[in-house]
Amino acid sequence: MADSLRAPKVLIADPDRWSAELLVELVRKARCDAHLEVLQDSQSVLEHCRASWPDLLIVDYGLPGIGGLELLREVRRQRRHPPVPFFLITDRVDAASVRAALPLAPTAYLAKPFNAEDLLQRLRNLLLEPGEEVACPLPSSLPMQRLEEYLAEARETSSGAPLLKVVHEALDHAMQAHKRDLAELQPLFFQDPQLTGQLIAAANSAGQHLGNSCQTLEQALGRLGSQHSLNLALGLALQRSVDLTDPLLLPHGERIWQQCQRTAELARWLAQCLEGDGERCYAAGLLHLLGDLAVLRSIQSWLDLGGEALTAEQVEEALRIHAAPFGSALRTRWRLPLELRQLIAAAYQLGGGVYSKDALIVHIAKLAAELPEGEDAAPLAKHKAARMLGLDAALLASLPNLGVSAQASASSTKSSRS
């Protein structure tokens, strides 16, 4: 950069929210003090450049308006010296498209899905001088709000849950590795509620323009593809940098993660027994406590800013009041498919009207997952949802433990019921 002491201005132009957020996190990882502007159409980019030229443009080829290539042409017509660095991200990798772009001298012509590690290194090379390091200390000022006020404001902007530790470590390794097969990470993704929810949301974004909605992680990964899925997961991991470190919050986080996993596995097991949609039920079970995790992360952020230590009763009260609104706000903001949102809501209450088989399954799975360890689930046979599903006490008493045994048990039970 011309002036390495000055924080660079970086303009990101991508109509797809999830790709834009990934690019934002990669820029922040490369240069934490960068001034970022995110725009979604060509005209806005041109107007912004006329007012103040950025130090770097990262633009999607399919940008609404004149498009990324013509935007690059307009930028080069300004004949700025030195030329403004311009990264063009595109799914057009045929020889004719490449030849059309080369005379305009893009700083980088990155094929979709790009390699996040490679792009991060390019950003570091461009935004940092050799050997230069930029320190960005955490805010040290005390919060001006009580916890209740802080949570009320954080609900609509919360980044959601902290990252599950095992997933965080695996993704951190993937960022440093030369190549990482998504197949190695996919089983870990199935454990993390927020990665599941956000990858499903990304697969349904306007940028995908493909058929029916995805409602399971498997469907989302198939649509996004290996590299793009891994890229998005890495970006989400960078974004979710807050860990639960407070000794009062950590046990809550572990308990809620385990409850999400338990509900998801029981829902899938029951769906396999009853010929429901196992993967949809699993996704709904995994996501139903996302609001609780988001509240815990926000409380941790408040404490990191200088908030006073809390009592166990205050944490419980915050979860009771804010978990449901946080979860609803996240699912709405991500634009998860309505059918999946309704299935998640069924974990809490069935409401009126006609009940789908999957909704009844998720509801019973949540009730079973909440039972104390070792307690017999047979009494749940008296529950309305169990009666409507035709679940008897014997089957409920045989609910499996966590893990692979659940799937194996479901297969054998389904065979015996046939």
Side-chain angles (χ1 to χ4, degrees), residues 349-410:
Q349 59 182 7
L350 293 173
V354 179
Y355 310 114
S356 72
K357 179 188 292 185
D358 290 343
L360 296 169
I361 287 171
V362 171
H363 190 74
I364 282 292
K366 177 181 180 290
L367 295 177
E370 290 175 340
L371 293 174
E373 185 175 356
E375 183 170 328
D376 188 2
L380 289 178
K382 299 178 182 178
H383 193 279
K384 176 181 178 180
R387 295 198 309 270
M388 294 181 72
L389 287 168
L391 288 174
D392 56 34
L395 178 63
L396 287 167
S398 69
L399 287 176
N401 294 320
L402 302 179
V404 178
S405 60
Q407 296 184 33
S409 181

Side-chain angles (χ1 to χ4, degrees), residues 163 167-168 171-172 195 232-242:
L163 196 64
V167 182
H168 199 165
L171 288 171
D172 187 57
L195 271 182
L232 290 173
L234 290 169
L236 295 170
L238 294 173
Q239 185 184 69
R240 293 164 62 191
S241 58
V242 174

Side-chain angles (χ1 to χ4, degrees), residues 143-198:
M144 300 301 293
Q145 301 164 298
R146 295 182 299 106
L147 177 61
E148 180 68 23
E149 297 168 342
Y150 182 87
L151 291 177
E153 289 191 9
R155 183 179 63 201
E156 298 304 325
T157 57
S158 164
S159 295
L163 196 64
L164 193 61
K165 187 172 185 292
V166 64
V167 182
H168 199 165
E169 292 172 350
L171 288 171
D172 187 57
H173 178 71
M175 180 66 83
Q176 300 173 29
H178 175 66
K179 185 177 181 181
R180 183 83 174 192
D181 188 350
L182 181 61
E184 299 176 44
L185 296 172
Q186 183 173 333
L188 296 177
F189 291 177
F190 273 104
Q191 299 179 39
D192 190 283
Q194 184 150 330
L195 271 182
T196 294
Q198 291 190 277

Side-chain angles (χ1 to χ4, degrees), residues 44-83:
S44 298
V45 174
L46 289 172
E47 291 174 1
H48 188 280
C49 288
R50 291 188 191 108
S52 175
W53 279 95
D55 297 295
L56 168 64
L57 290 100
I58 306 175
V59 179
D60 184 82
Y61 194 107
L63 197 65
I66 62 174
L69 184 64
E70 285 303 311
L71 187 59
L72 173 58
R73 194 184 310 278
E74 288 294 323
V75 169
R76 292 295 179 247
R77 281 175 181 159
Q78 303 303 313
R79 301 187 180 279
R80 294 184 64 82
H81 296 288

Side-chain angles (χ1 to χ4, degrees), residues 91-118:
D91 53 6
R92 302 194 181 193
V93 292
D94 58 281
S97 296
V98 174
R99 282 197 302 268
L102 285 179
L104 302 174
T107 311
Y109 189 90
L110 303 173
K112 288 183 177 180
F114 57 82
N115 182 289
E117 179 196 3
D118 174 68

